[in-house]
Amino acid sequence: MAHISLVTLGVSDVERATRYYEALGWRRSSMSVEGTISFLQGGTVVLGLFGRDDLASDAAVDVTTAEGHAPIALAMNLGSPTAVDQALAAAEQAGGRITKPPETTDWGGYSGYVADLDGHLWEIAHNPFAPLLDTGQMVLPDE
């Protein structure tokens, strides 16, 4: 079965980024190596924060250019529009930059975007058509 077990973000300052994500409710794992890499647990995925230069070296790419690399947005789906507003406010309070304020979407949901301290985009959304388990995992139809 296809799945994502770990997402690693290249960040300019691992400890600063770790504090940011902890302020949003992610829990640091004891597997973290202070100053080098943080593993944060939340819902159904582990988020890894790794120095940007170290990640570029590990992936054998040039950190100074995005040429050939597609931009991405990660998404956090929540149980209500109120939870979306609260999460975006917490992200902004922790130093994130709201790039798109939350609004009702044309597909019937509610979402907004925030850039973290290193510019990684996160969509914070409520999708009334995709129920969530207690773990935060989305339940999608099989067909």
Side-chain angles (χ1 to χ4, degrees), residues 34-135:
E34 190 171 335
T36 302
I37 188 164
S38 291
F39 294 109
L40 301 146
Q41 299 173 358
T44 59
V45 168
V46 172
L47 177 65
L49 303 176
F50 198 23
R52 184 182 5 236
D53 293 341
D54 295 326
L55 182 58
S57 175
D58 194 47
V61 298
D62 183 355
V63 73
T64 62
T65 179
E67 187 177 324
H69 302 283
I72 67 163
L74 301 166
M76 180 186 308
N77 284 280
L78 300 173
S80 70
T82 300
V84 170
D85 291 339
Q86 292 169 342
L88 284 165
E92 186 172 40
Q93 178 68 28
R97 180 177 52 85
I98 303 297
T99 64
K100 180 181 175 189
E103 63 184 18
T104 301
T105 67
D106 58 359
W107 47 267
Y110 184 76
S111 79
Y113 281 83
V114 61
D116 73 4
L117 302 174
D118 289 278
H120 300 109
L121 288 175
W122 283 83
E123 178 188 20
I124 311 298
H126 167 65
N127 183 341
F129 310 107
L132 301 174
L133 300 177
D134 290 341
T135 60

Side-chain angles (χ1 to χ4, degrees), residues 16-33:
R16 180 181 74 133
T18 298
R19 287 190 302 275
Y20 172 82
Y21 280 100
E22 286 176 327
L24 301 183
W26 292 80
R27 297 179 335 271
R28 188 186 313 213
S29 165
S30 61
M31 297 280 297
S32 300
V33 179

